[in-house]
C-alpha cells in the first residue's frame, strides 16, 4: 500500500472529515417576525426549527415548531432531507401545546406525515437551496457558523 494513501487515511481519521451540509443554517428569506433554522449533525440527523412571533389580542406570542430530520448525500453537493412529524412539537411561549403528526398538523392547519426536500450546496459551502416536494416554493438557507 502506498505510504501517501496511508497518510491520507490516517489524517482523515484524526481530523474527522465532515460533510459540507453539517452545521447551522438560517433561512435567507426571513421576515422580521419569523425564523427558519436547520441544525444538521454529522450522523445523518438534525432538527428544523421554525419560529413565528406576533401579537394576538394585544399579547405577544412566540410559536415554535421543531421537526426531527434525517439527511443523506445523493451525489456531489446534492442532498435529500426528510423531516418526520412524529417527533414534531409546537411550543407557545416555551410551553408545549402540541406534539406528533396529528396535533402539529391540526395546530398548523396542514396535512402531512413527512416532508421531503431535495437540497444542494453552492461551491463555497455557504448557501443551501432546498426544493420541498409538492411545493412551488424554494427555500434558501445561509450558513450561520
Amino acid at each position: 500500500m502506498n505510504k501517501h494513501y496511508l497518510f491520507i487515511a490516517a489524517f482523515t481519521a484524526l481530523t474527522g472529515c465532515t460533510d459540507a451540509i453539517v452545521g447551522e443554517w438560517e433561512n435567507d428569506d426571513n421576515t422580521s417576525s419569523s425564523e427558519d433554522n436547520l441544525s444538521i449533525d454529522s450522523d445523518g440527523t438534525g432538527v428544523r426549527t421554525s419560529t413565528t412571533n406576533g401579537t394576538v389580542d394585544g399579547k405577544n406570542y412566540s410559536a415554535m415548531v421543531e421537526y426531527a430530520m434525517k439527511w443523506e448525500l445523493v451525489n456531489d453537493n446534492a442532498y435529500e432531507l426528510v423531516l418526520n412529524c412524529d417527533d414534531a412539537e409546537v411550543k407557545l411561549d416555551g410551553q408545549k401545546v402540541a406534539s406528533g403528526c396529528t396535533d402539529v398538523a391540526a395546530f398548523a392547519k396542514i396535512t402531512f406525515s413527512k416532508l421531503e426536500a431535495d437540497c444542494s450546496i453552492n461551491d463555497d459551502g455557504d448557501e443551501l437551496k432546498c426544493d420541498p416536494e409538492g411545493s412551488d416554493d424554494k427555500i434558501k438557507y445561509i450558513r450561520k457558523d
Side-chain angles (χ1 to χ4, degrees), residues 2-142:
N2 189 325
K3 290 180 186 178
H4 295 291
Y5 290 120
L6 186 59
F7 175 76
I8 291 170
F11 181 76
T12 301
L14 290 174
T15 59
C17 200
T18 59
D19 200 282
I21 198 170
V22 173
E24 303 295 319
W25 300 87
E26 65 184 342
N27 187 315
D28 191 36
D29 301 322
N30 286 339
T31 65
S32 60
S33 65
S34 68
E35 294 180 18
D36 181 5
N37 297 299
L38 302 176
S39 179
I40 301 176
D41 298 322
S42 61
D43 65 357
T45 65
V47 176
R48 179 184 181 195
T49 306
S50 299
T51 306
T52 302
N53 299 304
T55 304
V56 173
D57 296 331
K59 295 182 182 179
N60 293 331
Y61 74 90
S62 176
M64 181 175 68
V65 182
E66 292 180 332
Y67 301 91
M69 177 178 54
K70 291 187 178 185
W71 65 269
E72 66 179 34
L73 177 65
V74 177
N75 61 43
D76 295 328
N77 290 342
Y79 299 84
E80 180 177 70
L81 276 58
V82 178
L83 287 87
N84 187 343
C85 65
D86 289 339
D87 298 324
E89 293 184 342
V90 177
K91 296 178 184 174
L92 283 177
D93 296 327
Q95 300 295 316
K96 183 170 34 170
V97 295
S99 62
C101 296
T102 303
D103 289 349
V104 170
F107 182 87
K109 297 180 180 149
I110 57 174
T111 304
F112 66 92
S113 59
K114 67 178 180 177
L115 303 172
E116 295 184 26
D118 294 324
C119 302
S120 61
I121 294 179
N122 67 350
D123 290 338
D124 293 335
D126 60 356
E127 187 176 279
L128 178 67
K129 290 184 180 177
C130 295
D131 185 10
E133 187 176 283
S135 174
D136 293 334
D137 296 332
K138 296 194 185 324
I139 304 171
K140 179 179 156 188
Y141 295 93
I142 55 174

